[in-house]
Amino acid sequence: QQQQQQQQRRHYEELAHKSGFSTEQIKNLHKRFRQLSGNKETISRANLDSIPALANNPIKKQIIDAFFDKRNQRQDDEVGSLEEIGLEQFLMVMSHFRPPAHKSGEEERQAARRQKLRFLFNMHDTDGDGIITLVEYRKELLSKSGAIGHQAAKAIADAAMLEVASTNAPHMAPDDFYEGITFEHFQQILKGLEMESRMHIRFLDVDTTTMRCGKATS
Amino acid sequence: MSPRRGFRHPGSFGSSLPERGLLLLVLIVLLQGSLLPFGAASSPDVGHRDEADVHAEAEEKHNFTKKPFPVLSFEYKHIQVPFEISLWVLLASLMKLGFHLIPRLPGIVPESCLLILVGLLVGGLIKLAGQKVPPVLDSNLFFFCLLPPIILDAGYFLPIRPFMENLGTILMFAVVGTLWNAFFIGGLLYAVCQIQPNNPSDLHSLELLPCLLFGSIISAVDPVAVLAVFEEIHINELLHILVFGESLLNDAVTVVLYHLFEEYSGVGSVTVIDGVLGVISFFVVALGGVLVGAIYGILAAFTSRFTSHTRVIEPLFVFVYSYMAYLSAEMFHLSGIMALIACGAVMRPYVEANISHKSHTTIKYFLKMWSSVSETLIFIFLGVATVDGQHNWNWTFVTVTVVLCLVARVIGVVGLTYVINKFRIVKLTTKDQFIVAYGGLRGAIAFSLGFLLDKRHFPLRNMFLTAIIIVIFFTVFVQGMTIKPLVDLLAVKKKQEAKRSINEEIHTQFLDHLLTGIEDICGHYGHHHWKDKLNRFNKKYVKKCLIAGERSKEPQLIAFYHKLEMKHAIELVESGGGAKLSSAIPSTVSMQNIQPKKPAPAKPEDRVLPKLSKSREEEIRKILRSNLQKTRQRLRSYNRHTLLADPYEDNFGEFLLKKQKMMKWRPHLPMFVCCFNTPGTLADPQAYSMKPALDSVPTIQVDLASPQSPDSVNILDEFQRSEQAAAAEEGEDDGGLMMKAPTRPHERCNAGEMDAGTREKLSRCLSDPGPHAEDEDEDEPFLP
């Protein structure tokens, strides 16, 4: 029993080192993981699908896909998707939503920003080729807010793409073709949004005593 | 927050003009200044003369003595009151004009300081003339006429998102901070007043409760002063909303404390029960005020749903409902300011979806105008009241008050920030704290509250008033003048001017959904979860009730896109049809560059423009006919009540035509160069034909025949068109009626729905592009 606990603690510490969470937070997240997976070792897509609260979310599929996307595991250049994820992968994905540390230097903040934007980018870039093409953008807009019709989504996507192109590649001859939004362009257009302070989940920051690891039937 | 003054003197004029203008202004001011004493002079005699007149008239009736008919007579007292009011307003406005004519002054001295100086001057003139200064800063006048426009302006245009995100911080500063200030200042003042046993002075008679009352009056940060000063320094949104939000929300605390201490100052002691009741009263006052405001806001939104036939009076509803919310709250001694803010904030999204664009502009400009005039008047009156007031100068009291105010503010802010930062993600830095502390300005509300005090209960009222005035002067002059250089010195982040682009909007919404989803996966009912729930509730139930017609189902993204497009279309017109490109990054990118290359020619169905169904054709013809008729009568029928009923009153059609002209008659301009690109602008006009179309609400825009263009009426269809249609456009150059078939791949929509939708869209979409377009319209001779 004691040895088991020690082993678990070491496991947590290792995870903490990799993902950047504290051991307390990992313990709680592990609890939630077990709830979602039904006390098994891995989570499959079906487990995440069955969360009732997610049903109303227009980008549910993309969120779930993001958990199983290899690119979000921060292991360089692996593409493709996993079938099931274990605790470590779960934590790696969650770590994208850590709030910025209070005393972080400029570099750390930039790195965090880059990481979060990369996560977003991967969500849009569904075929994994490193660019968001117009087709992908349109599809994503269409699914995002169901009430927008085909035409509207197409037009908005076109306008948005045009804006990106205009800001990033201003001088193009009439015959040039703008392939799509690369990661650099993506960073450029979203630089006004201050991702590092907006893209985070609150509870990962506060003391775990105030954290509510909710029920699976939430 | 948009700047209050819309008028900037163009620097291109010669330097002699502003000086001449200035001289003229000074003359006019002196003239007015001399008239005001006359006005004041005649007032005491009014009562007397009336009676004398009545007697004289009665006698005349009996005697029937014939007097020659008075060709020209002078009767000032008849029009005295409105005349004087107008004179004051005129004075205020001319002052405002004057300050902006002087070249470098607005940069150095904030407007509020100059206005107080002017007030002092005018008050001095009146006193010199030996007349009694009219009691201008009468509390009723202030609280019922001068304050509401400013607060309504602030509340209606309150940026909701940053306000809600920082609500916890703002509430902490407003409630806890004000309480701390009040007790600290009041308590220490009392202590100081007691420590002079050698020379018994007036101060000894000052008891604890009046001190606390004084503390509560002087501790509240004033929204008017904050607005006046902060608007000129353009600091970043976070700090602005913190200080400004605090100044608005501390009204509840001030109201409760004021009434509490005022009640019991007579008695002389406050028990614990009273304290507890006071706390309860605070919640009642604050929440009650918000509730009253919200109710009126919903009423206003509901009313605006039915105003589609009487567009002219739409702004009136906004103003009247808000004012009634304020008065109702004041009736119950609830917080009127919070009611007004709640009313404006609640009604805005729904009202804006319902009213026409012209009404929207009207509301905006009326609010800005009234609040601007109010603010100016308030500062001038402060100056006048200073000269007039009976002062009781006491060195100790005044200096201790000023020092304590500063110290209390600093300690309060630092202490509270320490606590708040434990709960905030984006922590407040020392620089932020300094600005928040330094921006705690006091203003006219404190003075008016002091003015309201009853002299019988508070024998030292005049001393209070003097001290309040000195604190106000100190904060407005010293802090107001130095805050701008300090902001520059400390390199505080300034407001970002960048416009919101469509990509940012898309990704912000995406982020919201993403974060909500992640919270659900973690099982944590956080921030985003509740916000999402609220949004869904809003969309499902509330919007259906309060927004008329089709707009209730319009997703936010579409609304945003339409707004953006409208703005760019207006810019296009105002820039003279694209000839002047006001672009930051000129770009040659156009739609062609981003369209995915089609491997083969498009499917044959897309090529051929589908035929119109019979009923649709009939409808289009009907619209054309009716519009042509209306245009013929346009110049002759002007009816106050149907100002906006005719969609042709607006000039949307006009600039659409301009664009068409530009496309057709300047073939040397390559198509894709007509593209103006600041980040966030839309495609080039060529791609204008690719519009977002709601599947269920097709729109038809009708261009009017103008003498300049032989190709009179086109119908541009707002449906998505493929590039082939663009080419097709080029070919149709004949005059007369032209119709472009709408390419509608789906046949879902039935004719009836389209009719209503079309008409609605027509009357809503056509906006007022601004003075230039209208000028050009007037110039064109019209075919009889």
Side-chain angles (χ1 to χ4, degrees):
Chain A
Q1 181 59 324
Q2 259 241 345
Q3 228 196 8
Q4 238 186 359
Q5 274 189 4
Q6 259 201 353
Q7 222 182 20
Q8 207 181 44
R9 206 173 323 135
R10 230 174 300 141
H11 183 53
Y12 280 174
E13 277 165 22
E14 197 188 306
L15 289 174
H17 180 70
K18 274 207 205 143
S19 65
F21 288 127
S22 73
T23 40
E24 271 295 318
Q25 290 171 331
I26 294 187
K27 213 187 330 181
N28 283 310
L29 281 170
H30 195 176
K31 234 192 292 181
R32 177 64 178 167
F33 183 85
R34 261 184 264 133
Q35 268 177 344
L36 288 175
S37 70
N39 274 324
K40 291 207 292 247
E41 283 301 315
T42 56
I43 296 185
S44 69
R45 281 171 206 257
N47 292 118
L48 287 181
D49 238 350
S50 60
I51 301 177
L54 266 187
N56 286 318
N57 203 316
I59 55 170
K60 168 178 167 178
K61 185 173 172 308
Q62 279 125 311
I63 299 182
I64 296 183
D65 281 342
F67 273 88
F68 293 90
D69 193 336
K70 276 197 199 158
R71 288 174 296 173
N72 291 328
Q73 294 303 324
R74 282 194 260 166
Q75 273 146 7
D76 319 311
D77 298 336
E78 282 209 18
V79 203
S81 67
L82 305 158
E83 281 307 315
E84 297 185 326
I85 51 173
L87 179 62
E88 185 177 329
Q89 284 94 2
F90 185 71
L91 287 175
M92 289 304 281
V93 173
M94 282 302 191
S95 70
H96 286 97
F97 295 94
R98 267 187 309 131
H102 181 34
K103 307 251 194 301
S104 55
E106 187 59 29
E107 289 213 357
E108 292 169 22
R109 237 172 329 144
Q110 290 287 11
R113 207 165 157 266
R114 216 187 135 80
Q115 199 185 80
K116 296 182 197 232
L117 279 176
R118 185 89 222 179
F119 185 82
L120 275 185
F121 187 80
N122 290 340
M123 285 185 80
H124 292 308
D125 181 20
T126 41
D127 59 3
D129 58 357
I131 17 182
I132 306 178
T133 59
L134 186 61
V135 175
E136 284 172 341
Y137 211 20
R138 279 182 187 163
K139 212 178 357 164
E140 177 245 313
L141 257 189
L142 201 56
S143 72
K144 183 173 85 69
S145 185
I148 306 183
H150 256 321
Q151 312 283 14
K154 231 165 147 195
I156 295 181
D158 288 345
M161 185 66 98
L162 189 67
E163 188 185 87
V164 181
S166 316
T167 5
N168 286 311
H171 303 286
M172 282 174 51
D175 287 331
D176 285 351
F177 179 56
Y178 181 69
E179 290 286 333
I181 310 180
T182 61
F183 184 51
E184 280 70 39
H185 295 177
F186 193 71
Q187 276 182 307
Q188 180 69 17
I189 55 173
L190 289 186
K191 73 173 175 203
L193 275 188
E194 285 198 4
M195 277 302 171
E196 64 268 23
S197 44
R198 293 182 69 167
M199 183 166 149
H200 62 82
I201 301 287
R202 240 164 210 271
F203 86 107
L204 291 176
D205 172 52
V206 176
D207 271 337
T208 50
T209 45
T210 60
M211 197 177 87
R212 286 176 48 204
C213 230
K215 324 101 194 167
T217 53
S218 62
Chain B
M1 298 268 180
S2 44
R4 283 269 167 83
R5 36 191 173 279
F7 174 77
R8 285 251 162 235
H9 181 67
S12 54
F13 282 46
S15 62
S16 58
L17 191 57
E19 283 161 23
R20 265 188 233 147
L22 202 56
L23 273 174
L24 192 62
L25 264 178
V26 170
L27 275 174
I28 296 182
V29 167
L30 282 177
L31 205 64
Q32 285 193 333
S34 55
L35 267 181
L36 282 167
F38 277 133
S42 25
S43 41
D45 294 327
V46 167
H48 235 14
R49 266 194 232 135
D50 260 350
E51 291 175 16
D53 275 339
V54 166
H55 283 312
E57 272 181 40
E59 285 181 25
E60 277 193 26
K61 277 228 166 75
H62 290 310
N63 296 349
F64 280 22
T65 37
K66 193 166 182 302
K67 283 194 327 187
F69 188 77
V71 175
L72 188 67
S73 52
F74 178 79
E75 198 179 332
Y76 182 66
K77 58 182 172 352
H78 194 52
I79 48 117
Q80 181 188 2
V81 172
F83 192 75
E84 287 190 348
I85 296 177
S86 312
L87 265 185
W88 279 114
V89 174
L90 196 57
L91 174 70
S93 318
L94 286 174
M95 282 299 105
K96 240 177 139 61
L97 264 187
F99 295 148
H100 289 279
L101 285 180
I102 306 176
R104 271 171 303 122
L105 199 56
I108 311 175
V109 185
E111 209 175 86
S112 35
C113 303
L114 292 170
L115 289 171
I116 294 187
L117 285 175
V118 168
L120 285 173
L121 196 68
V122 172
L125 276 177
I126 297 184
K127 256 230 157 96
L128 270 180
Q131 302 303 331
K132 175 172 148 9
V133 176
V136 279
L137 213 51
D138 173 37
S139 291
N140 272 348
L141 177 70
F142 178 75
F143 281 114
F144 292 145
C145 300
L146 292 178
L147 191 60
I150 302 180
I151 304 295
L152 180 60
D153 179 39
Y156 195 77
F157 292 109
L158 193 68
I160 294 285
R161 213 185 154 117
F163 186 75
M164 285 301 167
E165 281 175 11
N166 294 299
L167 192 62
T169 316
I170 293 177
L171 277 176
M172 276 288 267
F173 278 126
V175 177
V176 180
T178 311
L179 279 174
W180 156 260
N181 275 351
F183 283 104
F184 185 78
I185 296 177
L188 277 189
L189 259 181
Y190 180 65
V192 165
C193 287
Q194 298 298 319
I195 62 167
Q196 290 182 329
N198 300 336
N199 337 345
S201 64
D202 275 342
L203 294 181
H204 279 244
S205 61
L206 202 55
E207 298 174 30
L208 180 61
L209 278 176
C211 272
L212 286 177
L213 178 61
F214 178 72
S216 65
I217 294 178
I218 198 93
S219 64
V221 177
D222 186 84
V224 179
V226 164
L227 266 177
V229 169
F230 270 50
E231 281 217 332
E232 302 182 9
I233 63 179
H234 298 301
I235 52 171
N236 62 48
E237 200 177 48
L238 171 67
L239 285 178
H240 190 171
I241 200 74
L242 279 183
V243 181
F244 183 58
E246 180 196 342
S247 69
L248 290 175
L249 294 186
N250 66 18
D251 182 58
V253 181
T254 312
V255 165
V256 170
L257 282 179
Y258 181 80
H259 284 125
L260 185 69
F261 290 133
E262 201 202 0
E263 282 282 319
Y264 294 114
S265 288
V267 179
S269 67
V270 178
T271 63
V272 180
I273 306 254
D274 295 325
V276 171
L277 284 179
V279 171
I280 301 182
S281 160
F282 164 72
F283 285 109
V284 168
V285 163
L287 296 175
V290 172
L291 190 67
V292 167
I295 293 178
Y296 274 99
I298 295 186
L299 277 178
F302 191 64
T303 312
S304 72
R305 185 181 167 178
F306 302 106
T307 56
S308 47
H309 299 288
T310 43
R311 295 263 182 216
V312 207
I313 56 173
E314 275 174 336
L316 194 66
F317 287 118
V318 171
F319 300 140
V320 173
Y321 273 114
S322 313
Y323 194 49
M324 289 194 65
Y326 179 74
L327 294 175
S328 308
E330 287 290 327
M331 185 166 65
F332 294 108
H333 270 228
L334 303 173
S335 165
I337 290 185
M338 293 183 78
L340 212 44
I341 302 278
C343 185
V346 163
M347 82 164 111
R348 185 178 181 203
Y350 308 110
V351 162
E352 289 206 338
N354 282 329
I355 61 178
S356 71
H357 290 274
K358 276 193 172 165
S359 295
H360 174 71
T361 311
T362 308
I363 292 180
K364 179 164 138 184
Y365 278 100
F366 259 82
L367 279 179
K368 298 287 174 202
M369 176 186 83
W370 272 330
S371 62
S372 180
V373 169
S374 271
E375 187 187 298
T376 317
L377 275 177
I378 287 180
F379 283 115
I380 292 188
F381 286 171
L382 258 181
V384 172
T386 312
V387 171
D388 168 48
Q390 311 116 334
H391 293 291
N392 179 353
W393 182 273
N394 184 315
W395 275 105
T396 330
F397 193 73
V398 170
T399 42
V400 169
T401 308
V402 174
V403 168
L404 277 182
C405 276
L406 285 174
V407 169
R409 177 86 183 153
V410 171
I411 300 182
V413 168
V414 170
L416 280 176
T417 317
Y418 180 71
V419 176
I420 289 172
N421 270 345
K422 293 212 200 288
F423 295 98
R424 276 182 71 91
I425 301 296
V426 179
K427 321 274 180 191
L428 295 175
T429 64
T430 323
K431 261 193 252 176
D432 294 337
Q433 291 174 37
F434 176 73
I435 297 292
V436 172
Y438 207 65
L441 307 173
R442 301 347 191 230
I445 292 187
F447 183 79
S448 304
L449 284 176
F451 205 78
L452 270 177
L453 289 176
D454 193 341
K455 199 159 175 136
R456 289 164 291 158
H457 291 170
F458 301 97
L460 291 173
R461 170 179 174 269
N462 290 332
M463 193 171 71
F464 284 177
L465 281 180
T466 313
I468 294 177
I469 291 218
I470 295 299
V471 171
I472 296 178
F473 274 35
F474 182 81
T475 54
V476 170
F477 279 94
V478 175
Q479 287 179 241
M481 277 206 271
T482 53
I483 199 168
K484 193 165 174 142
L486 274 175
V487 160
D488 290 333
L489 193 68
L490 292 176
V492 178
K493 229 183 345 171
K494 294 235 172 156
K495 182 154 72 164
Q496 290 171 313
E497 291 299 339
K499 286 186 256 189
R500 195 135 159 107
S501 74
I502 189 149
N503 273 298
E504 286 184 359
E505 178 74 18
I506 294 176
H507 285 101
T508 310
Q509 285 199 13
F510 189 82
L511 195 63
D512 278 340
H513 289 304
L514 173 65
L515 291 175
T516 312
I518 299 283
E519 276 190 0
D520 289 332
I521 290 182
C522 292
H524 175 69
Y525 286 156
H527 208 49
H528 294 274
H529 182 90
W530 294 117
K531 201 158 70 153
D532 190 58
K533 267 211 157 88
L534 185 66
N535 276 336
R536 264 188 287 134
F537 173 72
N538 189 14
K539 213 188 302 192
K540 205 157 158 204
Y541 298 113
V542 183
K543 276 192 176 168
K544 287 228 174 78
C545 285
L546 298 179
I547 300 185
E550 289 297 321
R551 297 270 305 195
S552 58
K553 296 196 217 99
E554 193 176 60
Q556 190 188 347
L557 197 57
I558 303 261
F560 179 81
Y561 188 55
H562 274 301
K563 227 192 288 185
L564 204 61
E565 196 165 84
M566 201 71 79
K567 224 190 311 176
H568 292 308
I570 293 176
E571 265 174 34
L572 175 60
V573 173
E574 288 191 349
S575 74
K580 284 184 274 148
L581 299 179
S582 57
S583 54
I585 314 169
S587 160
T588 55
V589 180
S590 79
M591 287 310 294
Q592 291 171 284
N593 296 97
I594 67 172
Q595 286 295 338
K597 295 245 175 0
K598 292 204 167 76
K603 295 175 255 175
E605 305 107 64
D606 288 337
R607 272 274 170 98
V608 174
L609 303 174
K611 285 216 176 58
L612 275 181
S613 72
K614 253 288 171 13
S615 58
R616 297 280 303 292
E617 212 176 288
E618 193 48 51
E619 278 173 50
I620 293 175
R621 243 184 244 133
K622 211 177 1 164
I623 294 176
L624 278 176
R625 231 179 294 133
S626 65
N627 274 312
L628 278 177
Q629 282 174 356
K630 282 192 198 146
T631 347
R632 285 220 183 87
Q633 299 161 7
R634 181 164 60 141
L635 284 179
R636 289 177 207 147
S637 72
Y638 167 74
N639 187 343
R640 226 177 342 146
H641 301 288
T642 60
L643 200 53
L644 288 172
D646 181 355
Y648 251 94
E649 285 289 333
D650 304 336
N651 293 294
F652 199 57
E654 203 53 47
F655 74 81
L656 281 178
L657 187 62
K658 269 196 182 12
K659 260 176 359 114
Q660 287 281 300
K661 281 192 303 194
M662 185 180 69
M663 284 297 104
K664 290 186 168 92
W665 294 348
R666 298 183 203 174
H668 59 279
L669 263 180
M671 290 192 313
F672 48 80
V673 169
C674 299
C675 193
F676 45 138
N677 289 336
T678 52
T681 55
L682 285 178
D684 63 52
Q686 187 58 33
Y688 197 79
S689 52
M690 313 181 85
K691 295 274 225 21
L694 300 175
D695 273 325
S696 50
V697 184
T699 59
I700 296 184
Q701 291 162 326
V702 186
D703 269 3
L704 177 59
S706 119
Q708 291 179 4
S709 83
D711 34 351
S712 21
V713 184
N714 315 336
I715 298 183
L716 284 181
D717 200 292
E718 268 210 19
F719 292 115
Q720 165 100 26
R721 288 216 228 123
S722 52
E723 294 161 296
Q724 297 95 342
E729 227 178 297
E730 289 282 312
E732 292 168 348
D733 237 7
D734 0 58
L737 220 60
M738 289 195 294
M739 264 183 1
K740 291 202 183 28
T743 57
R744 240 179 106 56
H746 319 271
E747 299 291 310
R748 275 188 264 140
C749 199
N750 53 18
E753 193 187 295
M754 184 190 99
D755 216 44
T758 315
R759 226 146 294 225
E760 203 181 293
K761 219 46 193 326
L762 258 178
S763 58
R764 278 208 84 261
C765 270
L766 308 181
S767 69
D768 177 7
H772 301 285
E774 267 168 349
D775 283 342
E776 284 157 343
D777 194 42
E778 296 304 303
D779 285 334
E780 287 163 359
F782 200 73
L783 305 169

